[in-house]
Amino acid sequence: MSRADSRRWRAARTPADLGDLMALWLEGGLRSRPGYEPHWGPDDETTELIPTLAALCRTGYITTCSQPGLTGTGANGRWWEQRAAVTGLVTDEALLARLLRSAADAGMNTCVNHLRRRGGRQGQPIVVTTCDGLAVTAFGGRIRRADLALEWAGTHPRLFAQIATGTYLTIAAPTYGTTGQTLWRTFNEGASAP
């Protein structure tokens, strides 16, 4: 990561600052983000999702991983299926409640994970990609403080304290393929934060 990018991430003090920087990275205004390959932007398959993801980040659902719904034969000649899915950090409880309500109303699958000093919640991961019917990728599931420290390396300790006690929410379409793209329409119709 460049020194200039590193300074910007280190200067962020609030989840709103973090969301603005993630949106800027998605849009190409920053070359690197914590926990991701240096000098590397979003994957090509994410290009059509960038406006929605950036809007979500600026609203307070700070997305960290996403994918469109796709099906088809991969480069290896095998059959691949993806659910449209997104996962990210939410620190605003009212926003979390709205997102969960909107996801339920739209028939989406959700996974909620957060760390708390006493207790916490660790939802079950959602399989979002299969190859020839076998699970390849899952979003959500158990998180640990050590995982968050790697993903958000270089952020200010005050901001990291908020990151480490926030909620990680995964929302995934119930079906594989393009019919699951309704996930993105749900966000767009709800002005990005249902």
Side-chain angles (χ1 to χ4, degrees), residues 1-6 25 30-34 36-42:
M1 181 180 301
S2 72
R3 287 184 184 154
D5 282 357
S6 182
W25 172 78
L30 288 172
R31 294 191 59 205
S32 299
R33 64 160 270 211
Y36 204 74
E37 184 73 30
H39 308 291
W40 198 268

Side-chain angles (χ1 to χ4, degrees), residues 8-20:
R8 290 188 77 177
W9 289 103
R10 184 78 174 169
R13 295 293 191 271
T14 67
D17 294 341
L18 186 64
D20 287 341

Side-chain angles (χ1 to χ4, degrees), residues 39-100:
H39 308 291
W40 198 268
D43 289 340
D44 290 341
E45 73 176 8
T46 307
T47 300
E48 70 183 60
L49 308 178
I50 288 174
T52 301
L53 296 171
L56 288 169
C57 286
R58 289 187 175 107
T59 306
Y61 182 24
I62 304 164
T63 66
T64 57
C65 194
S66 60
Q67 67 182 32
L70 302 169
T71 58
T73 304
N76 62 357
R78 299 170 76 188
W79 185 253
W80 290 81
E81 295 182 310
Q82 284 188 182
R83 297 178 202 249
V86 61
T87 193
L89 168 67
V90 182
T91 59
D92 178 322
E93 292 297 321
L95 175 60
L96 177 62
R98 285 195 314 273
L99 288 165
L100 286 168

Side-chain angles (χ1 to χ4, degrees), residues 152-169:
W152 298 108
T155 57
H156 192 276
R158 217 174 334 165
L159 175 58
F160 183 74
Q162 296 172 74
I163 290 168
T165 57
T167 299
Y168 282 78
L169 173 63

